[in-house]
Amino acid sequence: QFDKAGVGQNLSPRFISSFLMFSQEVLILIEKVILEIVTSLSKDEAPVLVLPNRSSWANVSFDNAVGLQMTSGSSVTTVRSNCSSSVTKFGHILKVLSTIYKLVQSNVYATKRDIYYNDTQLFGSQRTVDSIVDDISCMLKVPRRRLHVLATSKGFISGDLCYLEEDSTKVDCHSNSTVNPTNTKYIPPTSQHHIVSSAKFVLIVEKDATFQKLLDYDFCTKLCPCIMITGKGVPDVNSRLMVRKLWDTLHIPIFALVDADPYGIEIMCIYKYGSVAMSFEAHSLTVPSVMWLGLLPSDLHRLRVPEDALIPLTQRDQNKLTSLLKRPYLACQPAWQREMEMMQRSKVKAEIQSLASIAPDFLSRVYLPNKLRYGGWI
C-alpha cells in the first residue's frame, strides 16, 4: 500500500502533486466509461465497450525512430453485453475496472496475480486477467503503471548501476550474484529515479543461463564497466521499461546477445521495435538504437563452430523466419536481413552455448571482448 508502507514520505512535493494529478485523471476516465454504460441502460439499450484491436498488424505503423506504434484510426473490437460470445468478457472488464478504480482511489498497488486470485472462479486463468489489464490500458490510453497494476518481475539486472525506487529505496546493482525479488536484482515494477552509472554500454542477454554464466565470470567489471539485463526469454514489460529508461538516461550503446535462431532474433526485435500487442505504449517501451552483437549466423561460419553444435531449422523455425523477413522494420536493416537470409539458406541455427564447443570460456574471454573491441555488431 502506497501510504501505509511509508512510500512517498521522502518524495518531493512536485512528484506527489504530479502523482495525484495522474491518479485523478485515471479516475475520471473510468467514471466516463461507467457513465456511458449507465446512460445506455437508462435508454433501455445494451451497453457496449469499444476496444482497439491489439492483435492486428493492420492497426500498426512503423516509424524507424519509434518502432511499431498503434495508428490513430485503428480498427476496434466491440464487446457487447447482450451477446453470448462477449458477455463474459464484458463482465471481466467491468470487474477489473472496478478493482483498478479502488486501487487508484486508495493509493494502493496490486499485481495482476493479486487480481486473478481475488476471484479465480470468475476469471478462470491468469492469462485472462493479463489480457484485460492491457485492453483497459489501451482503451483508456493510460500506461499500466498509472492503473496501479503491477506485473511480477521476471527479469534480472546487474552491473555498474545505482538508482532510487519510488519509495526512495537505494538499489545497488554492483554484484555478481542475483538475489531475492524483494531486494535489488530483479528488475523492479516501479519507476527508477536518480540513476547513477559509469557503464560504457548495456548488454541485453536473451537467456538467464548465459546471464548467470557471465555473472560468474564477473563480466561487468573485467572488460569495462557495463550493465547486463535479461528478460529470461521473451521480455516482460518491466524489463523493456528498464532498458528504455537506461537508454533515455545514460545515452550509451545498447547491445543484444541472443541465439542465432528465429526466436532469438524476434526477442531482440521486441526490445528494439516493440510488439503489435503493446504498440500503444511504443514510446515508453521501444529502444530503436539496440544493436545486434551476436550470435550472428555469419559468426557460425567465421568461427568454424563444429557441425555437431549446429541444429537444423524445424519447419516452425522456417515459418517464423519467413514471417520475420516480412516485418516492416527489416527494410531499414539490410545487414540484419542478410544475416537472416544466410540462416535461411544454411537451414541451421545455434544457441549461444554452442560457442562452448570451441572452448568452455570462449564466450566471455574471446567472443564478447573481441566483438566489443573491434565493433563486431550490426
Side-chain angles (χ1 to χ4, degrees):
Q1 188 169 336
F2 190 83
D3 45 3
K4 289 184 180 178
V7 178
Q9 290 181 356
N10 300 318
L11 297 177
S12 68
R14 181 181 177 185
F15 179 88
I16 294 172
S17 175
S18 176
F19 173 84
L20 293 174
M21 181 184 68
F22 286 138
S23 296
Q24 189 62 32
E25 287 177 358
V26 173
L27 293 177
I28 291 170
L29 288 169
I30 295 174
E31 288 167 2
K32 184 179 177 182
V33 172
I34 300 304
L35 181 59
E36 289 174 356
I37 291 173
V38 173
T39 301
S40 295
L41 290 171
S42 69
K43 295 177 180 179
D44 203 23
E45 298 173 353
V48 298
L49 294 169
V50 179
L51 307 176
N53 190 333
R54 296 189 302 111
S55 61
S56 173
W57 277 92
N59 284 347
V60 174
S61 64
F62 173 68
D63 184 324
N64 195 29
V66 179
L68 300 173
Q69 54 186 339
M70 185 168 282
T71 55
S72 55
S74 58
S75 64
V76 296
T77 300
T78 302
V79 183
R80 299 183 178 276
S81 61
N82 63 341
C83 177
S84 59
S85 62
S86 63
V87 65
T88 300
K89 183 170 184 177
F90 186 93
H92 288 164
I93 293 172
L94 286 190
K95 174 65 174 178
V96 176
L97 270 175
S98 172
T99 301
I100 290 170
Y101 192 90
K102 292 172 185 174
L103 290 172
V104 175
Q105 196 174 45
S106 307
N107 276 345
V108 176
Y109 286 82
T111 65
K112 291 189 291 186
R113 197 163 182 79
D114 292 332
I115 295 174
Y116 167 63
Y117 278 106
N118 189 47
D119 200 333
T120 56
Q121 285 191 325
L122 173 67
F123 295 116
S125 71
Q126 180 67 59
R127 183 174 293 183
T128 298
V129 174
D130 295 348
S131 178
I132 286 172
V133 169
D134 288 338
D135 280 337
I136 291 173
S137 176
C138 185
M139 177 178 69
L140 299 180
K141 296 181 172 58
V142 173
R144 191 178 64 199
R145 170 69 188 158
R146 292 184 189 167
L147 301 179
H148 286 227
V149 179
L150 309 174
T152 304
S153 295
K154 72 165 187 168
F156 283 126
I157 186 167
S158 187
D160 191 313
L161 176 67
C162 293
Y163 59 85
L164 295 181
E165 292 189 343
E166 285 187 353
D167 61 354
S168 297
T169 299
K170 183 179 180 181
V171 178
D172 186 350
C173 297
H174 291 81
S175 174
N176 60 359
S177 64
T178 52
V179 297
N180 191 284
T182 57
N183 273 325
T184 61
K185 297 300 178 184
Y186 270 93
I187 295 172
T190 55
S191 298
Q192 302 80 42
H193 307 277
H194 304 293
I195 291 176
V196 178
S197 175
S198 58
K200 303 302 181 187
F201 62 89
V202 174
L203 181 64
I204 299 168
V205 182
E206 176 189 350
K207 291 181 174 177
D208 183 41
T210 305
F211 180 85
Q212 297 294 342
K213 196 167 215 177
L214 291 173
L215 280 183
D216 291 342
Y217 178 70
D218 201 14
F219 180 78
C220 290
T221 58
K222 282 190 176 178
L223 183 64
C224 66
C226 71
I227 299 166
M228 285 200 309
I229 285 180
T230 180
K232 296 198 283 187
V234 178
D236 59 352
V237 170
N238 295 335
S239 300
R240 293 172 62 189
L241 282 170
M242 176 62 90
V243 175
R244 174 69 192 222
K245 184 76 172 183
L246 294 175
W247 181 56
D248 285 339
T249 307
L250 302 178
H251 308 291
I252 55 178
I254 313 283
F255 298 113
L257 178 65
V258 299
D259 287 340
D261 69 20
Y263 292 92
I265 295 169
E266 183 170 48
I267 285 169
M268 175 176 59
C269 290
I270 290 173
Y271 282 106
K272 186 177 178 74
Y273 296 120
S275 62
V276 174
M278 295 299 293
S279 58
F280 64 96
E281 278 201 62
H283 286 272
S284 61
L285 291 176
T286 61
V287 184
S289 68
V290 168
M291 292 171 282
W292 189 0
L293 185 66
L295 185 62
L296 303 179
S298 59
D299 289 336
L300 306 180
H301 175 74
R302 180 176 61 85
L303 299 172
R304 298 179 182 177
V305 174
E307 283 192 21
D308 58 4
L310 304 179
I311 306 167
L313 289 178
T314 64
Q315 187 59 53
R316 186 166 173 249
D317 291 329
Q318 292 181 51
N319 292 342
K320 173 61 70 174
L321 192 54
T322 300
S323 170
L324 284 170
L325 283 165
K326 294 177 182 176
R327 301 276 172 93
Y329 42 71
L330 259 296
C332 63
Q333 287 291 345
W336 287 27
Q337 193 169 351
R338 285 193 295 271
E339 291 289 337
M340 293 162 69
E341 288 169 348
M342 183 181 297
M343 183 188 300
Q344 203 171 40
R345 289 193 301 271
S346 67
K347 295 189 180 340
V348 295
K349 60 183 179 179
E351 298 180 340
I352 298 167
Q353 294 91 320
S354 67
L355 296 178
S357 63
I358 301 174
D361 55 357
F362 188 80
L363 173 67
S364 53
R365 290 185 181 274
V366 180
Y367 183 79
L368 289 177
N370 284 344
K371 281 264 183 175
L372 291 162
R373 188 173 291 119
Y374 300 113
W377 57 80
I378 56 177

